[in-house]
Amino acid sequence: MNEERSEIMGEQGYENVKSRKYDDSSKETKGEYGYDNGKKEKRRRIPAAIYFLLVVMTAVTVSSVSVCAACMNKQKQSDKKVTEMSKQIEQLEQVQSDNKAAASEEEKRISELQQLVAEMNEKKNDAKENDVQIAGQYVIKSTENISNAYISGDTSALNDEEKETLDMAKAILDEIIKDGMTDLEKEKAVYDWMTSNLSTGEGITSVIPGTSPNCDNPHGVLKYRKAVCVGYATTFRLFMQMMGIPCKVVHNSDCFHSWALTQIDGHWYHTDIYSDVGVGNYANFNLSDEMMASVQWDRDAFPAADCLDANLIVGDASEIKDATEIPAAIRAILDNKEEQHIVRAFRYKGDDPDGFCVKVGMMMTSLTNNMYNSYEYSSYMVDTRMLMVEGDVILIITIDNMQDYNNDETQDQYQDQDSMGITDEDMDEMRNALNAAFSDMFGDMDVSLEIY
């Protein structure tokens, strides 16, 4: 019979001994020190250090297993968080995508609204340009259908009057417009033709035409060659639009006057044909808003004119340093009697613009009074205009010899004393009557032979 024995304590500590088997039949016995067969054998013992190492290794193994289990648990938690975060990212990306789509739709809607507002403003401004009544009886009417027919070559939509207007306007453009002209040259050619070939309708204001029919629209203006301000402005606009040059008709706040606003090389300019007709001195050609400061209009309804590049007078202005240079310049103009309409511009860049304007005004008043009383120069009309442009004073002097304009009826007004049947005694009586009533106001007065 075998029996198993284990865990025998030695003198130095605990020892783990392999199990031993005993056979009863052999009747062998262990001695005190574990000898067999009469031979003495020393008992094996495991060193304490090794035992301690085994215990530590066992503990480390158990700890490692625990740590690994914890790591695996943390990894699972981390993977779970990553999965959740990935889902959140996907959700955010989807929201962002939805927001982008919504933003795109919103931007599209905003763009549509902006376009709608622009169209409404354009219609609003168009309403402020056209179908406006001037002086209670003349209406600014659009002629865009005529200019569009000219550009397209299709006149099927025009009525007979519009076709006649187109034919007259086309004939004029064929005459004055040459190949290779710039927009400014084209505009100037139309200005020159209109100021030379049209006349203002009779009346006390710029909008009262007398008996000329349709003088407020291009048809009547081109057919009868007379116009009121509305007729000048709309006819000029028709010419511009036929040549593809943007142009509008502006009216003042009192609805008593109108003029053209033209775009040349990307900039807008005011042109008032009515004010220059018969003279053609470019005094009202391609003006800026600043040069039109004396006139009031709805500036919000029309583009701003803030450039002078296309203004012919300012562009040719001679620079002067003092107001005392003006008289000699005017004398040089008067000596050149071959020119009937003379316009000169001077630019003063000094540091006393107010003083310059006062001095010029005083000298020009004295000059015009003496010219009026002069037999040789009484037919000359001198007009001065001072403008502030970019901080400089622009002095525009216009001199017209009105003698060439006097018709026979006007010439009859300038007669000598005998032909008028006025005696010296009559002259003395009239002179005394004037001085008795006005000498305290005007000083010694003489009787003029000119009848107004």
Side-chain angles (χ1 to χ4, degrees):
M1 174 177 269
N2 296 328
E3 74 178 18
E4 184 174 320
R5 305 172 65 181
S6 61
E7 294 183 357
I8 301 176
M9 175 70 71
E11 292 179 358
Q12 301 296 325
Y14 293 98
E15 295 181 355
N16 294 324
V17 183
K18 295 183 179 179
S19 300
R20 291 188 178 183
K21 296 182 181 180
Y22 294 93
D23 188 352
D24 293 340
S25 61
S26 65
K27 296 183 180 181
E28 293 180 352
T29 59
K30 277 177 67 174
E32 182 181 359
Y33 296 99
Y35 295 118
D36 291 326
N37 299 323
K39 295 181 179 181
K40 190 175 180 179
E41 182 179 353
K42 193 174 181 178
R43 200 182 330 176
R44 296 178 182 178
R45 289 178 295 183
I46 298 175
I50 294 176
Y51 178 79
F52 179 75
L53 181 59
L54 290 174
V55 171
V56 171
M57 290 177 64
T58 301
V60 169
T61 301
V62 172
S63 177
S64 297
V65 171
S66 300
V67 169
C68 290
C71 290
M72 292 178 66
N73 187 37
K74 288 183 178 180
Q75 184 63 39
K76 288 181 180 180
Q77 293 178 354
S78 177
D79 292 343
K80 183 178 180 180
K81 288 183 178 181
V82 169
T83 301
E84 292 176 351
M85 292 176 66
S86 297
K87 290 182 178 180
Q88 292 178 359
I89 292 173
E90 290 178 359
Q91 293 174 352
L92 290 174
E93 288 177 346
Q94 183 62 41
V95 171
Q96 187 177 20
S97 176
D98 294 341
N99 289 339
K100 286 182 178 180
S104 178
E105 289 296 326
E106 191 66 22
E107 290 177 359
K108 182 179 179 181
R109 178 58 179 164
I110 291 174
S111 177
E112 292 175 351
L113 290 174
Q114 289 175 338
Q115 183 177 358
L116 181 60
V117 170
E119 291 175 356
M120 292 177 66
N121 285 333
E122 185 177 352
K123 291 180 179 179
K124 178 181 177 182
N125 292 338
D126 182 70
K128 290 187 176 182
E129 177 185 1
N130 296 302
D131 302 321
V132 177
Q133 193 173 57
I134 304 298
Q137 55 182 323
Y138 300 106
V139 179
I140 301 173
K141 298 179 181 179
S142 173
T143 56
E144 196 169 3
N145 59 330
I146 300 177
S147 57
N148 288 341
Y150 174 79
I151 294 173
S152 66
D154 182 8
T155 62
S156 60
L158 302 181
N159 58 37
D160 292 340
E161 182 177 296
E162 291 170 338
K163 289 179 180 179
E164 185 178 12
T165 303
L166 177 58
D167 291 340
M168 291 186 292
K170 180 180 181 301
I172 295 169
L173 290 181
D174 290 343
E175 176 186 347
I176 66 176
I177 302 301
K178 308 301 179 183
D179 293 338
M181 278 187 168
T182 64
D183 285 351
L184 176 57
E185 291 170 337
K186 294 176 182 178
E187 181 196 24
K188 179 180 177 296
V190 171
Y191 170 93
D192 292 339
W193 185 90
M194 291 186 67
T195 55
S196 300
N197 292 275
L198 303 179
S199 62
T200 300
E202 300 173 357
I204 59 174
T205 69
S206 60
V207 294
I208 300 178
T211 58
S212 301
N214 299 322
C215 56
D216 64 341
N217 62 76
H219 180 265
V221 171
L222 297 179
K223 189 169 185 177
Y224 302 105
R225 302 299 173 91
K226 285 186 178 292
V228 292
C229 66
V230 178
Y232 286 119
T234 54
T235 301
F236 185 82
R237 180 182 63 181
L238 173 62
F239 281 129
M240 295 298 105
Q241 291 178 341
M242 288 174 67
M243 296 185 293
I245 299 174
C247 187
K248 298 177 179 293
V249 173
V250 186
H251 61 275
N252 65 347
S253 300
D254 295 333
C255 291
F256 218 74
H257 186 51
S258 60
W259 63 94
L261 184 66
T262 311
Q263 187 182 55
I264 301 295
D265 297 331
H267 298 284
W268 291 89
Y269 301 89
H270 300 275
T271 295
D272 188 356
I273 299 291
Y274 162 79
S275 297
D276 289 352
V277 71
V279 180
N281 54 16
Y282 308 108
N284 292 278
F285 179 73
N286 285 352
L287 307 183
S288 66
D289 287 346
E290 185 177 5
M291 298 174 76
M292 295 281 291
S294 62
V295 183
Q296 301 296 322
W297 73 94
D298 187 354
R299 300 196 179 201
D300 293 333
F302 297 94
D306 53 6
C307 184
L308 288 171
D309 291 348
N311 183 279
L312 302 184
I313 294 178
V314 174
D316 293 335
S318 301
E319 185 174 347
I320 57 175
K321 296 181 179 180
D322 192 82
T324 55
E325 299 178 33
I326 298 302
I330 295 177
R331 177 58 188 268
I333 295 173
L334 292 174
D335 288 343
N336 184 12
K337 295 182 180 180
E338 294 181 359
E339 294 188 55
Q340 182 179 358
H341 308 292
I342 304 170
V343 181
R344 295 290 184 272
F346 303 90
R347 182 187 287 267
Y348 172 75
K349 295 185 176 182
D351 55 2
D352 187 17
D354 292 338
F356 174 85
C357 294
V358 170
K359 291 178 181 178
V360 169
M362 293 175 66
M363 289 188 294
M364 294 306 299
T365 299
S366 299
L367 176 61
T368 53
N369 287 339
N370 282 275
M371 289 178 65
Y372 177 79
N373 293 320
S374 168
Y375 176 79
E376 183 178 2
Y377 294 101
S378 61
S379 63
Y380 284 85
M381 293 187 62
V382 180
D383 176 70
T384 58
R385 186 179 184 186
M386 286 177 282
L387 308 168
M388 292 298 299
V389 178
E390 299 174 352
D392 300 337
V393 179
I394 301 297
L395 171 62
I396 301 174
I397 298 177
T398 304
I399 301 178
D400 292 315
N401 186 355
M402 303 305 295
Q403 185 174 3
D404 294 335
Y405 283 107
N406 295 330
N407 53 29
D408 294 338
E409 181 181 355
T410 305
Q411 288 292 337
D412 290 340
Q413 298 174 355
Y414 298 88
Q415 303 180 33
D416 58 66
Q417 180 180 328
D418 292 336
S419 64
M420 298 174 69
I422 302 297
T423 65
D424 291 341
E425 183 178 356
D426 294 330
M427 292 291 290
D428 290 336
E429 290 177 354
M430 289 187 290
R431 186 181 300 110
N432 292 334
L434 286 170
N435 285 313
F438 299 106
S439 60
D440 61 327
M441 296 176 62
F442 305 114
D444 190 23
M445 299 180 66
D446 202 355
V447 179
S448 173
L449 294 176
E450 180 179 354
I451 300 176
Y452 291 102

